[in-house]
């Protein structure tokens, strides 16, 4: 094993150091509470691809994310030597769905993929790879996506250490997704609270206007009744009751 040799240990330590620096940058970026725009999300996905490329062979790399209703797979970031386009698709029985279903990493060469296909566990999509490595994005103990790399050349095979590194990266990507969802839920709750306060304020203002109208109408009725009680109905002149009232004052 190349990681058991002194040079391999130094290489592994260097790679883990790069992972730590990447995680530090991600935590600093996560501290910003401003909601990212669409272009910023795409840029962040692109940065993830470049950063993974600094840790292992990521010439064929993608991030797959489960849709909200759990029926489709979306690929916010994908780069591939043979499949340049990876459009949104419905859930099927591919390797990505296998990782989602089992919620466990999968490191498989061509023979292992064919064995899974013969057993009816998976179905191949796209160009066949020599080696495929995928790990789940876990949010609240549920797989909501997959981060995967694959190789079309026997000269570039992935190892269990690559699986550990990709799992480490996926953990922090999933943490970022949890934080983003929490911020989005908070934003929606705040917007709903503002909407309800605005509706209630409008209702109170309307009720206040109605009360003022009712008070004004009652005052006018009282003044008219008082005038009728203190004045003669034919001449409109003050009557005896009005005279006694003024004398009493």
């Amino acid at each position: 094993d190349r990681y058991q040799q002194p040079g391999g240990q130094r290489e592994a330590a260097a790679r883990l150091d790069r992972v730590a620096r990447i995680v530090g940058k991600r935590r600093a970026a996560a501290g910003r509470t401003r909601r990212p725009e669409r272009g910023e999300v795409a840029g962040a996905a692109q940065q993830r691809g470049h950063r993974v490329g600094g840790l292992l062979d990521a010439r064929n790399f993608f991030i797959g994310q489960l849709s909200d209703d759990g029926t489709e797979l979306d690929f916010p970031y994908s780069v591939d030597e043979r499949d340049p386009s990876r459009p949104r698709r419905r859930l099927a029985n591919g390797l990505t769905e296998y990782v989602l279903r089992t919620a466990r990493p999968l490191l498989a060469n061509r023979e292992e993929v064919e064995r899974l296909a013969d057993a009816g566990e998976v179905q191949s999509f796209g160009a066949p790879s020599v080696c495929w490595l995928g790990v789940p994005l876990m949010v609240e103990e549920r797989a909501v996506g997959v981060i995967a790399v694959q190789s079309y050349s026997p000269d570039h095979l992935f190892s269990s250490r690559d699986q550990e590194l990709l799992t480490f990266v996926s953990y922090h990507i999933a943490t970022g997704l949890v934080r983003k969802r929490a911020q989005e839920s908070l934003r929606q709750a705040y917007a709903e609270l503002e909407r309800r306060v605005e509706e209630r304020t409008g209702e109170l203002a309307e009720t206040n206007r109605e009360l003022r109208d009712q008070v004004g109408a009652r005052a006018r009725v009282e003044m008219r009744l008082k005038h009728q009680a203190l004045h003669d109905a034919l001449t409109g002149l003050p009557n005896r009751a009005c005279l006694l009232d003024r004398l009493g004052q």
Side-chain angles (χ1 to χ4, degrees):
D1 190 317
R2 59 193 174 105
Y3 289 102
Q4 298 300 322
Q5 302 172 4
Q9 292 177 355
R10 288 194 296 270
E11 179 188 350
R15 295 171 78 186
L16 287 174
D17 182 63
R18 289 199 297 272
V19 171
R21 288 199 298 270
I22 288 171
V23 171
K25 292 178 181 178
R26 287 185 55 79
R27 285 176 175 171
R32 306 184 187 100
T33 56
R34 184 175 60 87
R35 185 167 178 252
E37 300 294 335
R38 182 182 180 86
E40 292 173 337
V41 173
Q46 210 166 22
Q47 289 176 5
R48 292 186 188 116
H50 296 328
R51 290 170 179 174
V52 171
L55 303 173
L56 47 82
D57 183 10
R59 286 174 291 181
N60 306 286
F61 167 77
F62 69 84
I63 297 175
Q65 191 170 353
L66 201 61
S67 62
D68 292 337
D69 59 5
T71 62
E72 293 184 319
L73 268 176
D74 188 27
F75 300 92
Y77 181 80
S78 174
V79 57
D80 196 281
E81 295 173 310
R82 300 190 182 181
D83 291 324
S85 175
R86 199 180 299 271
R88 183 185 182 101
R89 62 175 173 83
R90 294 190 66 82
L91 286 180
N93 198 30
L95 291 171
T96 304
E97 286 87 345
Y98 181 84
V99 174
L100 282 172
R101 187 168 64 251
T102 61
R104 297 178 61 185
L106 173 65
L107 174 59
N109 57 27
R110 189 69 238 159
E111 291 74 18
E112 290 170 331
V113 172
E114 290 176 353
R115 180 180 58 80
L116 288 172
D118 292 340
E121 293 286 346
V122 300
Q123 176 184 355
S124 295
F125 286 92
S129 58
V130 174
C131 188
W132 195 92
L133 171 60
V135 298
L137 295 173
M138 303 297 295
V139 174
E140 296 177 353
E141 300 183 356
R142 185 173 69 92
V144 299
V146 173
I147 176 172
V149 291
Q150 56 187 339
S151 173
Y152 298 110
S153 170
D155 296 330
H156 298 92
L157 302 180
F158 302 110
S159 66
S160 58
R161 182 55 61 93
D162 295 322
Q163 178 179 316
E164 292 176 4
L165 289 171
L166 202 60
T167 300
F168 187 72
V169 172
S170 73
Y171 169 78
H172 289 280
I173 291 178
T175 301
L177 289 175
V178 171
R179 186 178 293 109
K180 179 184 174 184
R181 288 187 177 185
Q183 290 174 355
E184 179 63 16
S185 297
L186 184 61
R187 186 193 65 81
Q188 292 179 357
Y190 184 72
E192 177 66 14
L193 178 61
E194 281 191 328
R195 185 187 64 81
R196 291 187 178 184
V197 168
E198 186 175 350
E199 287 182 354
R200 185 57 178 164
T201 301
E203 292 174 357
L204 290 174
E206 180 63 26
T207 300
N208 191 34
R209 283 193 295 270
E210 292 177 356
L211 287 174
R212 286 200 302 267
D213 292 343
Q214 292 176 8
V215 170
R218 172 178 257 182
R220 288 190 295 272
V221 169
E222 289 179 350
M223 290 180 63
R224 185 167 57 251
L225 291 175
K226 184 176 181 180
H227 184 273
Q228 292 174 356
L230 299 178
H231 293 77
D232 185 77
L234 294 176
T235 63
L237 296 174
N239 57 18
R240 186 169 180 272
C242 179
L243 179 60
L244 293 175
D245 179 69
R246 290 184 179 179
L247 290 174
Q249 296 177 359

